[in-house]
Amino acid sequence: MLIGTSTYDYLEDLPAVSNNLGSLAEMLTGPMSWSLGKDHCVVLSNPPSATAAMNSLREASAAARDTLLVYYAGHGLVTPDGELYLGLPQSQQQRVETGIPYGWLRGALLEGRAERTVVILDCCYGGLALGTMGPSELAAQADVEGTYLLAAASETRQALAPAGEPHTAFTGELLAVLTTGIPGGPERLDLDSILRELRRSLSAKGRPVPQGRERNSNGRLALGWNPAFSRSPMSSRPSDRHVDDRAWPAPTSIRTVEGFFDALRQVRVTSALTHTAISHRSGRQIAPGTVGSLLNRKELPRTWRTTGVYLIACGVPDEQLNDWQLCWERLRSAPSPRDAPEHERPRKQSQSTRVSSSWRQTFRKLAGRRFRD
């Protein structure tokens, strides 16, 4: 949901905001980011009223199940009580009823059912929103990872729309990071990495330094691929160290079907990928809806293929895939996995049950994507 106000009746116009909306929409619907369908990327330019904006926001909040990203660019205004409200075409200083109080936006997000929520505020005094979140209210309401708020300026600073530049200072830098990447950075541009790079680059230019707040693991959510990512020729497995540093669930410790699916869901949390991104990395062998169905099952699937494709697309190391399949087969063969004594549980499987390296290579060729070797 991209919202922007570029023209005002009583405040200075911000023509760069229109460019912000168009460029961000193009990025989010493109192959280097989320590859969103047009109906999943709503652009609301110069909304005529707070009611119109909030109706669209509530519709998006009600529809989103995986990730909801809400972006606002325009004038950020402050009430006499020091609270933030977002400017609309007829907004006036210290007249909160002429704009969108941030508390209204926050309330709409609390009503939604998205697993993850990202709020990006490219406006003056956006840091005020960090104080209105409460200690854990948004995170407690979001189903899994929680929320992430990224503000272009602190609660005491004005954001910039430099004359002669096509975008505002913050969004222009954000687009530059997503377009050119971070040299030496991770393969996927997660929110934490993006925030660090924005702070570095904007500070070096003497511009307002963005602020951020993470709830739970949402900082690992990837906004796109890193165009500047490369593996050093000096090492045959330089990226393995990054993968191994992540706390992947251990399939050898799983004892129940419920635990199996809990671990599968944790794999997605660790990967920081959306259902759509997982589908994209699988070469469309599994659809986003299939990912959701797999993670919400109560009984083990009869075949291994979908689970195997899901684990590889999430980036689970090869050395763990055999253990995952052995765990699946052990649970499938156990009549009562909850109650069976430890010594009665099957521990060895024939060689034919193992995930072969040739199967993984075949999958990667079909997927047409780059995975870690």
Side-chain angles (χ1 to χ4, degrees):
M1 182 80 186
L2 308 179
I3 307 171
T5 306
S6 58
T7 61
Y8 297 85
D9 294 343
Y10 303 99
L11 305 172
E12 181 182 1
D13 288 345
L14 299 172
V17 168
S18 293
N19 296 331
N20 288 1
L21 297 178
S23 297
L24 271 178
E26 183 179 359
M27 174 61 66
L28 291 170
T29 56
M32 291 305 293
S33 184
W34 288 353
S35 298
L36 294 175
K38 298 296 183 181
D39 55 341
H40 290 161
C41 184
V42 179
V43 178
L44 192 58
S45 179
N46 295 311
S49 66
T51 299
M54 291 303 300
N55 285 342
S56 296
L57 180 60
R58 285 195 171 91
E59 289 178 4
S61 181
R65 292 294 181 272
D66 188 281
T67 302
L68 173 63
L69 185 150
V70 179
Y71 166 90
Y72 170 82
H75 282 299
L77 306 168
V78 183
T79 70
D81 295 330
E83 297 181 353
L84 175 69
Y85 65 104
L86 310 179
L88 297 175
Q90 295 185 341
S91 288
Q92 299 179 47
Q93 294 282 1
Q94 298 192 342
R95 295 282 298 273
V96 65
E97 69 275 11
T98 63
I100 304 174
Y102 183 77
W104 291 8
L105 183 147
R106 173 176 165 273
L109 300 183
L110 291 174
E111 295 171 2
R113 291 187 287 174
E115 293 182 358
R116 295 180 286 196
T117 302
V118 180
V119 178
I120 302 177
L121 300 178
D122 188 356
C123 63
C124 299
Y125 316 116
L128 287 172
L130 298 175
T132 65
M133 271 187 156
S136 60
E137 293 178 48
L138 274 174
Q141 295 296 326
D143 188 24
V144 181
E145 285 85 358
T147 63
Y148 197 101
L149 192 144
L150 183 58
S154 70
E155 68 274 14
T156 61
R157 290 293 303 274
Q158 294 183 339
L160 292 180
E165 296 188 14
H167 304 99
T168 59
F170 170 81
T171 298
E173 204 68 32
L174 173 62
L175 289 166
V177 171
L178 293 173
T179 301
T180 63
I182 303 175
E187 184 176 6
R188 294 186 297 271
L189 295 174
D190 59 82
L191 288 167
D192 283 342
S193 298
I194 290 172
L195 176 58
R196 286 193 295 269
E197 180 64 15
L198 289 175
R199 285 174 168 168
R200 184 200 65 77
S201 57
L202 288 169
S203 177
K205 295 179 179 180
R207 295 181 170 181
V209 178
Q211 309 294 308
R213 173 173 289 177
E214 174 190 5
R215 296 302 188 188
N216 298 322
S217 63
N218 213 18
R220 296 199 298 269
L221 172 66
L223 283 187
W225 298 97
N226 185 3
F229 176 77
S230 63
R231 293 180 171 87
S232 170
M234 300 301 294
S235 172
S236 61
R237 303 179 67 84
S239 64
D240 282 359
R241 181 170 59 257
H242 171 72
V243 175
D244 290 342
D245 286 342
R246 292 186 286 180
W248 296 103
T252 54
S253 66
I254 298 172
R255 293 292 178 264
T256 66
V257 172
E258 181 181 5
F260 183 85
F261 289 111
D262 285 342
L264 281 185
R265 287 188 285 270
Q266 185 58 40
V267 164
R268 190 184 73 82
V269 173
T270 303
S271 75
L273 294 172
T274 66
H275 293 188
T276 300
I278 292 171
S279 173
H280 184 69
R281 284 179 60 88
S282 76
R284 306 297 183 186
Q285 292 197 62
I286 52 176
T290 303
V291 176
S293 298
L294 174 65
L295 300 184
N296 287 291
R297 290 180 66 105
K298 302 299 183 183
E299 298 180 356
L300 291 172
R302 295 183 178 180
T303 64
W304 169 250
R305 180 185 176 279
T306 297
T307 306
V309 170
Y310 164 81
L311 292 170
I312 292 176
C314 285
V316 171
D318 285 354
E319 56 268 24
Q320 290 191 14
L321 294 177
N322 287 332
D323 292 335
W324 273 100
Q325 185 170 6
L326 292 176
C327 175
W328 169 76
E329 292 183 342
R330 169 168 54 80
L331 293 174
R332 286 272 299 169
S333 63
S336 180
R338 289 179 180 273
D339 301 325
E342 182 69 21
H343 67 277
E344 294 181 3
R345 292 174 180 160
R347 293 183 178 276
K348 296 183 179 180
Q349 303 289 339
S350 66
Q351 184 64 30
S352 63
T353 64
R354 293 187 175 275
V355 181
S356 67
S357 59
S358 61
W359 182 90
R360 294 194 293 271
Q361 293 171 0
T362 301
F363 164 75
R364 288 182 170 86
K365 290 179 181 179
L366 290 173
R369 298 293 302 172
R370 179 179 65 188
F371 293 95
R372 298 181 175 86
D373 296 330

